[in-house]
Amino acid sequence: DQSYAADLGAGDDVFSMFVLPDDRDGAPAGIQPCIRVSVQGGDGGDMFDVTIGSRNPPERDATLPGLNLGLDLTFDGGNGNDSFSDVIANLALTDPLEPIRLSEMGGNGDDSLMMSVFNVFMGEGTMLDASQAGGNGNDVLMSHFDGEISARAVMHFMADGGRGNDAVTGEIQPCVLPG
């Protein structure tokens, strides 16, 4: 396992992260690495831009690339009007050993939290746990899921606007596969 932590400090900061697909069979059977990332925005209007997979769709009739590791990602905007754009796309999740966890926390301020999961296949025993918390302020929370889910996969989305006049929108369009 690997862990990374960042404190962006005061100011209007940008954090970008790309986790590319990896179809290599690098770990022995029964072992799956996990990457843990925790980022604190601090004071200021911070922007968090995260892509897991690829924003570009694969060629027609091509197999979706896989991701052979677990992820535990936590982003806290802190004080200020923060924005989050987290995308999980064009990816096959097939190894059930480590889940993918993604947490967006706006903190104090009028925050915009957007999470999009599209063209994702979730295989048997896999887990996606995603949460959004606006905190104090007039926040906008949007989440979207469009993909295929094995009957034995687990998907959990949680959205909490917090205090203030918030707008929360969630759209889930799964295709549940028999099993």
Side-chain angles (χ1 to χ4, degrees):
D1 289 4
Q2 297 180 354
S3 296
Y4 303 93
D7 184 342
L8 303 179
D12 298 338
D13 304 307
V14 176
F15 176 83
S16 295
M17 179 178 172
F18 296 91
V19 179
L20 300 175
D22 181 10
D23 279 327
R24 294 178 293 156
D25 294 326
I31 298 174
Q32 184 183 25
C34 182
I35 295 176
R36 290 167 176 48
V37 177
S38 176
V39 181
Q40 174 65 45
D43 292 340
D46 303 313
M47 181 169 42
F48 298 83
D49 184 15
V50 175
T51 300
I52 301 168
S54 173
R55 292 191 185 220
N56 299 320
E59 296 292 324
R60 186 176 182 175
D61 298 325
T63 302
L64 288 173
L67 185 68
N68 291 319
L69 55 87
L71 294 172
D72 188 350
L73 310 176
T74 302
F75 306 109
D76 185 342
N79 295 322
N81 299 332
D82 306 310
S83 66
F84 299 79
S85 175
D86 296 329
V87 175
I88 303 172
N90 302 306
L91 197 59
L93 306 177
T94 56
D95 196 334
L97 294 178
E98 289 283 346
I100 291 183
R101 290 190 174 94
L102 177 58
S103 175
E104 303 172 335
M105 296 175 284
N108 294 320
D110 298 339
D111 304 310
S112 173
L113 295 81
M114 297 172 39
M115 189 179 299
S116 182
V117 179
F118 63 91
N119 197 24
V120 170
F121 168 77
M122 292 181 62
E124 184 173 321
T126 59
M127 179 178 167
L128 172 62
D129 185 3
S131 64
Q132 297 174 310
N136 295 327
N138 300 325
D139 306 309
V140 176
L141 286 70
M142 296 175 23
S143 59
H144 174 82
F145 179 90
D146 186 358
E148 295 181 352
I149 304 172
S150 166
R152 291 185 179 89
V154 176
M155 180 181 68
H156 175 250
F157 276 97
M158 188 281 298
D160 179 358
R163 301 184 79 163
N165 297 316
D166 305 311
V168 179
T169 304
E171 181 178 59
I172 298 177
Q173 299 176 346
C175 172
V176 178
L177 303 174

